[in-house]
């Protein structure tokens, strides 16, 4: 019996979707920064820091890459434990991001974030069950 067949498919899908979230966040940040600079004519109290946004986008892209490539190394017990923890933390993070962003991003984006959190919880379940 072949182990981790479904896990590899779900992992690749979750990795690609995480990369889409990273790209979407980067685009939304650039649009928001452009509108901030275009519409701000008064005294600037807080300027958006682009280095923080770039760091978040890079971290999300790396997490998507690790999520997509991670199921191919699940035969090693150490990596399996790390991968289960990573999937649980990312799933919890996306669920919390969904709760924080209720009625702020639009229902399609929020359902996408909630679904991604559920996919990460499914991924950790599949790794635990060795499917």
């Amino acid at each position: 019996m072949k182990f981790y067949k479904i896990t590899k498919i779900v992992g690749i899908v979750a990795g690609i979707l995480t990369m889409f979230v990273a790209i979407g966040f980067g685009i939304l940040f650039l649009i928001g920064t452009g509108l901030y600079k275009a519409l701000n004519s008064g005294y600037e109290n807080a300027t958006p820091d682009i280095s923080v946004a770039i760091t978040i986008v890079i971290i999300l892209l790396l997490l998507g890459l690790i999520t997509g490539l991670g199921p191919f190394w699940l035969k090693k017990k150490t990596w399996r434990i790390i991968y289960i923890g990573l999937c649980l933390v990312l799933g919890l993070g996306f669920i919390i991001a969904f709760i924080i962003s209720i009625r702020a991003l639009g229902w399609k984006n929020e359902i996408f974030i909630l679904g991604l959190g559920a996919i990460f919880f499914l991924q950790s379940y599949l790794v635990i069950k060795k499917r």
Side-chain angles (χ1 to χ4, degrees), residues 48-102:
D49 192 11
I50 196 160
S51 64
V52 173
I54 290 174
T55 305
I56 292 172
V57 170
I58 290 173
I59 288 172
L60 281 173
L61 285 172
L62 286 175
L63 287 175
L65 187 67
I66 291 170
T67 303
L69 296 177
F72 295 101
W73 300 309
L74 288 175
K75 293 180 182 177
K76 299 177 182 178
K77 185 174 181 168
T78 307
W79 177 250
R80 188 168 46 246
I81 293 169
I82 292 170
Y83 193 73
I84 290 170
L86 175 74
C87 287
L88 287 174
V89 167
L90 285 174
L92 186 65
F94 279 116
I95 298 293
I96 290 171
F98 165 75
I99 291 170
I100 290 172
S101 69
I102 288 178

Side-chain angles (χ1 to χ4, degrees), residues 4 8 14 16 43 47 53 55 59 72 90 100 102 104 111-112:
Y4 303 118
K8 289 178 184 176
I16 291 170
Y43 181 72
T47 58
T55 305
I59 288 172
F72 295 101
L90 285 174
I100 290 172
I102 288 178
I111 295 299
F112 182 73

